[in-house]
Amino acid sequence: TRDRSDRRMSFQVLRYVRRNRRRMTLGAGMLALVFFLLYYHSHVALVLSRDASGSDQQPPSWDSAHQRLLQLSFYSKLEYVPSVDCQSAPQSSYKFCDPRLSPEVRATDLVSRIAIDDLIKQTSSIAPGISSLGIKDYNWRSNCLHGWSKSGGNWLKGLTWTVFAAPIGLGATFDPALVQRVGEATADEGRALHNVMLVYYNGSSTEAAGLNCFSPNVNLLRDPRWGRGQETFGEDPLLLSLIGTAYTKGLQVGEDPKYLKVAACAKHFAVHSGPEELRMHFSATVTLHDLYDTYLPAFKSQVLAGKVAQIMPAYSGTRCKYQQDGAPDAANPFLLRTVLREQFGTPNISIVSDNLAVAAVYQDHKYTSSLEKAAAVCVNATTDLDLGHDDVYPSELPLALRDKLVSAENIQAAVWRSFYLRFRLGDFDPMSMVPYQAINASHLNTPENQALNLQAARESIVLIKNLFNTLPLSQDKLTSLAIVGPNANATTTLLSNYMGIPSEIVSILQGIDNAVPKVKVSFAEGCSTVKCPNQDGFDEAVSLAMGVDCVIAVMGLDGSVEGESHDRAQTTCDGVDQDILALPGCQTDLVEALISANPRVILVLVNGGPVSLPTLLNHKGVLAVVEVFYPGALGGTALADVLFGEYNPGGKMPYTVYESIADVRPSVDYTMSTSPGRTYRYFKNDNALIPFGSGLSYTEFQFSDLVVSPSSIKPCDSVKVSVSVQNTGDLLGDEVVQVYLQPPKISGKDFTPNIQLLAFERVSIEPSSTQASSFLLNPYLLSLVDADGGRYIFPGEYEVFVGGSLPGEDSWSSSQALQDKLVIEGTAPVSVAECAGSPQCLAC
């Protein structure tokens, strides 16, 4: 071994083997030593083992200088410690402990055995144990937006797992199958973390990870300033529905259909996308058309197609025709009772408030005159769990019950839905019956998960500009590179928010340096922070740019200018305010200074929400623009693969990039069609800076043989759209086949979108090969939402477009779109509800 810490680790491993030699065969001991030598420098997870006698034993405390921790076979064979003891009397004879019965029957039996005072305690996000029934505490506080989040657990030192690209990047993949695999990997790692932590805490999850997670976020990215745009999948209802549902299915569905692997939670129901600074007391005013056309479809898809187990209402309130008082969403009976439970048909779905949202009903919204009344209105609206450190439900519901503001039946129903979900997770059942309880630490940071992580990061990258086919760069022709920018050597920035604990983070600088060992790579920040308030540091960056073959400028945003609780921050350059959508501070000036020194600049953007850069995008000195969003722990490797031709980018923009803030209405305005309109569906300005759905490739594609069949249909009929796509270039490449429908202008109606995405498919095509794609457009997809929120198929002549981008935006794609007509016959609109057998959601 090389140094003292290495020798100490070797001694500890050997001492473990020696102490346990009676329980280990000689072959197993040798295998352990072989694993030690092979994985000596690998980045693996520290887990907890239990010896054969059942006593807890922690692995040795090793130095993390090289992050070298062993994952030997004895660490992976955990004895699962259940959070409920159903083997002991008297509960072993009760129905709730009988796994042969349905979750409904078991939850009913359990709730009937708990006194009302103890039931109220179960409404807390950290539900206490019930010792008389063998039930230990349960922690409902977990997140898994793009891999399991470190929030919600007091993690054992050394545990690491996979951190994928931020959801906005996953949306840019336009690849639901890939995103479902990301969900599956996240669920495996979440189960592994839960199981390992239960061992450590002897079945208690107070300091551990629960089996539910507050993801996905399917709020539509309505406003480009919104700080949490990075958490969602984009601005289009169909994209949100298909990608979001795929992620939920990946999280929940495993090999055993009886049990959920983990319970997904779609948030933030339902009309929410800023302003973040006002969210605790703001109520959005929304028309019924916009509610059912824009804000609800992704949630409806989560419920009907994804079978999501839990819903989280937003902090903000919603004011509409049927809830004119703007009730906070956690206390909003129209949204929760009428829409979610009745219209969507989900009486048993669990509803959990956002953190401190119940208290905010009184303290911030001033919707009630006391905390007691706030607790009552939330329970009566069917918010089941109070996610708050202040425990408003446990402290105030006894008073509300006494004062007859809430009934015992409503409290029982809330707790019933919580236990019903835990039964669906197998939380009460033995390991022999729940295969997911055998998932152990060997499922963390696996080579397969890291390969998937790299694939997701690669697929999320969007090539926005590539002048003179500058990219990919040829290593053979390069001798020197200058990497410049405040995000060039950033690490945690690449992880976005609600991140986990990765074993390593590959910065963009490191990824490039690793990819070109024979090229001289120099680095300067240029700006010491992303806000870049002045030009300090420019001189060093400009000096490096002179004389190198190429400059890679890594600019963009980070958590200081966008994030939860704050929307896009206003920044200044030398005291002058910048457009709030532009690169922060003096970043644009820095890129222009680099161009002056070397007119061969490749601009890389690291960000969540849209960044406007009209001057740089059209500057001839910026040869290429690459959008990587927040690409996750392996983002530097993924970008290097794209820059040097190891991977051909095929991502598409999941949102519109506007030219300036002048193109955007105030963020408190939730109307979609009011001029200039929001998102590509309603934006009335023809010159969006970077259109939704756009993205280039290193190869070219040609669309042909578009067929819309039949070309004339009755209102409740479906139509098939088929097309051929040929790769006419020299490289393997991905294209996203996008199908858009442009409806006719309906006389006297102002709710018609400009155009809308009806289907898409990401296809990978070899050079000179052709692939056929076909899509069945059902009546629900062909329908429009009227002014009262009803969904109807309107007769008329529609335009169908199929291509690699929005129609008319071929310069932003590596292909040209095709066009055909579709006629829907009739004289009057027909409700989708009248179409027998028609799906009832976008992802159904």
Side-chain angles (χ1 to χ4, degrees), residues 313-375:
Y315 283 119
S316 53
T318 299
R319 180 178 291 104
C320 67
K321 179 179 179 180
Y322 299 116
Q323 191 73 51
Q324 297 188 16
D325 62 358
D329 287 358
N332 195 307
F334 171 69
L335 283 181
L336 302 185
R337 283 187 173 274
T338 303
V339 175
L340 181 60
R341 296 202 185 279
E342 295 175 13
Q343 294 179 4
F344 291 0
T346 57
N348 296 341
I349 198 167
S350 169
I351 300 179
V352 56
S353 80
D354 208 334
N355 192 38
L356 305 177
V358 174
V361 170
Y362 162 62
Q363 294 171 347
D364 299 287
H365 282 277
K366 311 299 183 186
Y367 185 72
T368 63
S369 59
S370 67
L371 280 176
E372 175 191 349
K373 292 179 179 179

Side-chain angles (χ1 to χ4, degrees), residues 4-20:
R4 188 170 300 172
S5 63
D6 293 335
R7 290 194 296 273
R8 182 166 60 251
M9 184 171 70
S10 302
F11 172 75
Q12 289 168 327
V13 172
L14 293 171
R15 183 173 59 182
Y16 182 94
V17 174
R18 188 161 55 245
R19 287 180 175 178
N20 292 272

Side-chain angles (χ1 to χ4, degrees), residues 369-434:
S369 59
S370 67
L371 280 176
E372 175 191 349
K373 292 179 179 179
V377 296
C378 288
V379 168
N380 291 336
T382 71
T383 294
D384 304 322
L385 286 160
D386 173 15
L387 181 65
H389 298 293
D390 50 359
D391 285 335
V392 173
Y393 272 9
S395 63
E396 301 298 329
L397 284 179
L399 303 177
L401 183 64
R402 179 200 65 190
D403 296 337
K404 298 183 180 180
L405 299 176
V406 65
S407 67
E409 289 76 16
N410 280 356
I411 294 172
Q412 289 169 337
V415 178
W416 184 95
R417 287 187 286 264
S418 298
F419 278 127
Y420 169 74
L421 178 52
R422 289 180 65 182
F423 282 118
R424 293 182 66 201
L425 286 161
D427 196 33
F428 284 64
D429 295 348
M431 185 174 181
S432 59
M433 296 194 65
V434 187

Side-chain angles (χ1 to χ4, degrees), residues 104-125:
E104 291 88 347
V105 170
R106 298 173 73 183
T108 299
D109 177 70
L110 177 55
V111 169
S112 72
R113 299 179 184 280
I114 304 174
I116 189 66
D117 289 344
D118 289 328
L119 282 175
I120 288 174
K121 294 175 184 177
Q122 291 298 308
T123 60
S124 171
S125 59

